[in-house]
């Protein structure tokens, strides 16, 4: 019997990512309450989002290197301790600066999630299963964003906004206990059968280099720039979905964010289909005999096309039309994400995966710093003209075009996305 403990590991990664996105989504749902209590402008809120994304960018770079050195078990543990404490610390903030500081600490801690998770997948899965495994754990981002619109308004109504941060932040410590008990690398894990270990290790790394690769050298590879470009132009779109969609539905369609939101819950549930389906499609193409690079690239092109219809949200006449169009684009993002993450383990040896994920994540977060600033300026400008919905329409055009633009650049940089040679 081959054994399937590797899917238990994916379940642990899935729940960590769910908690990760639950904690970061809380502030978007509390935005209407907090902006009234603290008199925030759209630019003030953009500043708070930028504090998170800037810190997240720096944290990704640091965690990527650290996790490659100390391993995914300890690296993940350190990450979730930092971000859970930071999430709870929001309850103590009373000023815009205080929220900015708490968001910066949250970003630094949450930065460890994806470098650790992608490294774990590379250690536990052969290449043909990695995109599916990545898609499954990455769907936790959607579940976290789905649970938040139901959970946070309920806590807000029953207890207050401070308790919303405290309760959601504390959940991370429950996961930490499970991680410490149930996780170890495959070669040392008692629950892994010899058959499963052979299955995991049946694809030898084409690159036999085992010495750490310096950051300066990583930047010299075209393969690194594939990931940098793929993240820089598309990550900011997901930040927009997370941090501004609740406010968009509230201002455009009068959605009451003090009550559990079925609309947002359905939207982010749909994105789980995109995340898992995106990983499955490229793996299915490989089973049909397609080369790895071709399966990834054609899949990503299809997902980029699926994001384009969000431009039509500007003509939506009711909230469900907008939910439908945005759900397609958000699902496309998660399908894209499952594949762009997996390209790293396709092209780089395992001991460099977290470092490259950290570099690409830094690029995505830098885009996530720039885009919120632009969003704040656009929305404040249109709000002054009492045409806030028109401001969102401008942003939707950018969301619809970003993935195709990123795909074209990726194709230009590395048409066949070859594996790095030592």
């Amino acid at each position: 019997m081959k054994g399937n403990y590797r899917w238990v590991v994916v379940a642990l990664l899935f729940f960590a990512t769910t908690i990760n996105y639950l904690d970061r989504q809380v502030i978007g749902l509390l935005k209407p309450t907090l902006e009234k209590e603290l008199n925030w402008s759209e630019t003030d809120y953009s500043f708070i989002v930028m504090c998170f994304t800037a810190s997240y960018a720096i944290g990704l770079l640091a965690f990527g290197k650290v996790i490659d050195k100390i391993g995914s078990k300890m690296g993940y543990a350190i990450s979730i301790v930092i971000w859970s404490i930071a999430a709870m610390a929001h309850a103590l903030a009373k000023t815009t600066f205080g929220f900015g500081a708490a968001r910066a600490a949250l970003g630094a801690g949450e930065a460890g999630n994806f470098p650790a998770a992608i490294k774990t997948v590379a250690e536990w899965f052969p290449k043909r299963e990695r995109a599916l495994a990545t898609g499954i754990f990455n769907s936790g981002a959607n579940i976290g964003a789905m649970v938040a619109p139901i959970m946070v308004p309920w806590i807000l109504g029953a207890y207050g906004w401070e308790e919303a941060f405290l309760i959601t932040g504390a959940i991370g410590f429950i996961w930490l206990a499970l991680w410490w008990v149930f996780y170890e690398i495959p070669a040392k894990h008692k629950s892994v059968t010899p058959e499963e270990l052979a299955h995991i290790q049946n694809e030898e790394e084409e690159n036999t280099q085992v010495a750490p690769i310096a950051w300066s050298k990583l930047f010299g590879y075209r393969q690194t720039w594939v990931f940098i470009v793929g993240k820089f132009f598309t990550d900011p779109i997901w930040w927009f979905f997370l941090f501004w969609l609740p406010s968009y539905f509230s201002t455009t369609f009068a959605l009451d964010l003090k009550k559990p939101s079925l609309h947002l819950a359905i939207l982010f549930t749909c994105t789980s289909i995109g995340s898992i389906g995106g990983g499955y499609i490229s793996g299915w193409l490989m089973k049909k005999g397609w080369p790895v690079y071709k399966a990834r690239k054609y899949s990503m092109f299809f997902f980029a096309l699926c994001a384009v219809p969000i431009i039509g949200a500007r003509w939506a006449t009711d909230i469900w039309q907008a939910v439908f169009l945005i759900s397609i684009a958000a699902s496309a993002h998660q399908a894209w994400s499952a594949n762009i993450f997996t390209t790293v383990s396709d092209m780089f040896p395992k001991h460099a995966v977290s470092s490259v994920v950290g570099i690409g994540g830094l690029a995505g977060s830098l885009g996530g710093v720039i885009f919120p600033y632009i969003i704040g300026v656009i929305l404040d400008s249109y709000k002054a003209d009492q045409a806030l919905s028109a401001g969102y329409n401008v942003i939707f055009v950018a969301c619809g075009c970003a993935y195709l633009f990123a795909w074209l650049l990726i194709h230009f940089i590395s048409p066949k996305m070859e594996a790095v040679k030592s």
Side-chain angles (χ1 to χ4, degrees), residues 98-110:
F99 273 96
R103 294 307 283 179
L106 180 68
E110 289 202 342

Side-chain angles (χ1 to χ4, degrees), residues 156-365:
L156 173 64
Y159 303 106
W161 65 263
E162 293 93 342
E163 285 76 8
F165 286 113
L166 289 172
I167 293 171
T168 55
I171 297 173
F173 292 103
I174 299 173
W175 180 90
L176 177 61
L178 296 173
W179 175 254
W180 206 252
V181 171
F182 291 105
Y183 183 78
E184 187 50 86
I185 60 173
K188 295 181 179 180
H189 207 294
K190 296 179 180 179
S191 296
V192 176
T193 65
E195 292 81 6
E196 184 174 17
L197 185 61
H199 174 76
I200 292 168
Q201 298 176 342
N202 73 348
E203 293 172 343
E204 296 294 330
E205 294 280 1
E206 292 182 17
N207 188 334
T208 58
Q209 176 179 324
V210 295
I213 304 177
W215 275 335
S216 57
K217 188 173 182 181
L218 288 174
F219 279 105
Y221 293 122
R222 284 176 171 263
Q223 292 89 336
T224 303
W225 287 96
V226 165
F227 191 59
I228 288 173
V229 166
K231 297 291 282 181
F232 179 81
F233 289 102
T234 62
D235 272 17
I237 310 304
W238 185 245
W239 298 129
F240 168 69
F241 291 155
L242 286 180
F243 297 134
W244 268 276
L245 282 186
S247 182
Y248 163 72
F249 285 122
S250 176
T251 57
T252 305
F253 298 105
L255 182 66
D256 187 356
L257 294 179
K258 292 183 179 179
K259 299 178 181 178
S261 172
L262 181 63
H263 306 84
L264 287 168
I266 289 176
L267 189 156
F268 286 110
T269 300
C270 290
T271 58
S272 295
I273 299 172
S275 184
I276 297 172
Y280 175 81
I281 288 172
S282 58
W284 178 78
L285 291 173
M286 284 180 223
K287 288 181 180 179
K288 293 292 183 180
W290 287 38
V292 173
Y293 85 90
K294 186 176 180 181
R296 297 271 187 253
K297 188 165 284 187
Y298 274 73
S299 297
M300 290 168 66
F301 179 68
F302 173 71
F303 305 138
L305 291 176
C306 289
V308 175
I310 195 175
I311 296 172
R314 64 183 303 161
W315 294 290
T317 56
D318 67 65
I319 190 169
W320 286 112
Q321 290 177 357
V323 167
F324 175 73
L325 292 169
I326 297 171
S327 293
I328 294 174
S331 298
H333 172 89
Q334 290 299 76
W336 169 279
S337 185
N339 282 274
I340 193 68
F341 270 125
T342 312
T343 62
V344 180
S345 57
D346 290 340
M347 298 185 294
F348 287 89
K350 292 175 184 177
H351 59 270
V353 166
S354 287
S355 294
V356 178
V357 170
I359 291 170
L362 168 66
S365 296

